[in-house]
Amino acid sequence: MDKKVLTEKLSEFIRIKEELVETEEISADVGVLKIRDTLLRVGNLLKENLEEDYYIGTITAGIGNKNTAYIIIKKNKKNLDVCCYAREGLIKQHTARKAINKFERELLQ
């Protein structure tokens, strides 16, 4: 996974602080339609690129699902590269990590 490339694509939508970016590699051999449908079930779709097989969207997470996390999901051969960013206030809610977990749970159901 190339974290730098994914964060550059994500930074088209929001200014990113590198220290708050969460990444994960999900081992799931799924199609791009399943990725899109899962993202639409748990959040909103902002950008779809079928040439490079990635999606950018938003997922609400954090305490009470009140914070918005920006997520990019890129499909590789047998896994998904996920990069997520959310702004955090004084009280850290780990919104980006919770958004990734929310997406992963829904995808693997």
Side-chain angles (χ1 to χ4, degrees):
M1 170 187 346
D2 192 1
K3 180 179 174 181
K4 185 175 180 179
V5 172
L6 294 178
T7 54
E8 284 176 4
K9 291 177 191 295
L10 202 56
S11 66
E12 295 173 13
F13 295 91
I14 189 168
R15 277 188 19 199
I16 292 178
K17 293 181 182 177
E18 291 288 328
E19 65 272 7
L20 296 176
V21 173
E22 292 281 340
T23 59
E24 186 170 330
E25 199 167 316
I26 300 172
S27 296
D29 190 15
V30 296
V32 291
L33 294 178
K34 174 135 177 135
I35 298 168
R36 185 193 68 202
D37 291 344
T38 302
L39 185 57
L40 288 172
R41 275 196 305 273
V42 296
N44 295 312
L45 182 64
L46 297 176
K47 184 175 182 177
E48 175 180 40
N49 187 326
L50 297 175
E51 293 172 0
E52 295 181 39
D53 287 337
Y54 73 84
Y55 292 92
I56 297 176
T58 60
I59 297 175
T60 56
I63 297 172
N65 288 329
K66 299 285 186 188
N67 295 348
T68 301
Y70 290 81
I71 189 167
I72 180 168
I73 302 109
K74 180 164 179 24
K75 181 178 177 1
N76 289 326
K77 293 177 184 171
K78 296 282 184 183
N79 58 23
L80 306 175
D81 293 333
V82 180
C83 185
C84 190
Y85 173 78
R87 290 189 175 120
E88 297 280 356
L90 292 175
I91 300 171
K92 305 299 182 222
Q93 299 179 33
H94 308 286
T95 306
R97 173 57 46 201
K98 289 178 182 177
I100 290 173
N101 293 341
K102 189 175 183 180
F103 175 79
E104 186 175 10
R105 270 193 315 271
E106 188 68 30
L107 179 73
L108 299 177
Q109 279 187 1

